[in-house]
Amino acid sequence: MLIMTFVALLGPAFFMVYLDREFNWQLMAMTWEASYWDHNIQIVMVQPYMLTIGLLLLSLRPVFTYQMVRYYSGRTTKLNTLLVGVASELQVLVVANLGMIGQSVSSPDPSQILVPLFGPIPILFLTGLVIMKLRPPPEITTPWQQMDE
């Protein structure tokens, strides 16, 4: 749980590259952001605007961490845990694409819109897979099996 919480909060989750006259990029996690704009590197720790953006883009990351805890407690299946993990990574793509569509629809001049290349960085999901592979969950016996023994 500690490893997953650490990776969910501090691990990079989203990368965006703007290909215009210069090579600009942005790397985002739930608690920090690093960006390179016009030859300036900026690293920002938790800011109020990041909380709203983080809720929109990355709110399923803590849910995946909680789902891993449930998996190791025997309260959910491996498949459900993996589905939540995939959804936590795809959330970034869905919300970012909806934002791009909204921006292009509301823009007075669509030709001036700079479309970035972006995508999730699935470090949290890969960490969960490695933990599942290296440490299988404990076997939970049902009360009926214990009664038979």
Side-chain angles (χ1 to χ4, degrees):
M1 180 177 142
L2 291 174
I3 293 170
M4 291 295 291
T5 302
F6 179 80
V7 174
L9 294 175
L10 299 174
F14 181 66
F15 190 69
M16 188 178 323
V17 176
Y18 293 95
L19 299 173
D20 55 351
R21 295 179 309 277
E22 298 175 13
F23 180 77
N24 297 318
W25 54 265
Q26 182 178 14
L27 182 64
M28 180 186 277
M30 286 192 77
T31 56
W32 59 269
E33 177 184 303
S35 58
Y36 177 79
W37 300 101
D38 299 326
H39 304 290
N40 293 318
I41 293 179
Q42 181 180 14
I43 299 174
V44 178
M45 298 305 280
V46 182
Q47 296 287 327
Y49 79 92
M50 288 178 65
L51 297 176
T52 57
I53 292 172
L55 285 176
L56 288 173
L57 290 175
L58 308 171
S59 62
L60 289 179
R61 291 172 66 84
V63 173
F64 179 51
T65 300
Y66 176 69
Q67 187 74 5
M68 286 287 291
V69 171
R70 290 189 58 197
Y71 174 64
Y72 279 99
S73 299
R75 294 184 291 169
T76 190
T77 64
K78 184 175 187 177
L79 178 63
N80 287 344
T81 303
L82 292 174
L83 288 175
V84 171
V86 169
S88 71
E89 297 301 337
L90 292 179
Q91 178 186 14
V92 170
L93 291 176
V94 170
V95 173
N97 278 323
L98 288 175
M100 293 295 157
I101 291 170
Q103 182 183 9
S104 65
V105 168
S106 65
S107 175
D109 186 9
S111 65
Q112 295 298 320
I113 295 175
L114 177 62
V115 178
L117 301 173
F118 57 87
I121 301 174
I123 291 176
L124 181 66
F125 183 67
L126 294 175
T127 302
L129 285 177
V130 168
I131 290 172
M132 287 177 160
K133 184 73 173 170
L134 295 179
R135 185 172 182 255
E139 291 292 324
I140 297 177
T141 60
T142 60
W144 296 281
Q145 286 178 341
Q146 290 176 349
M147 290 175 62
D148 290 338
E149 293 175 359

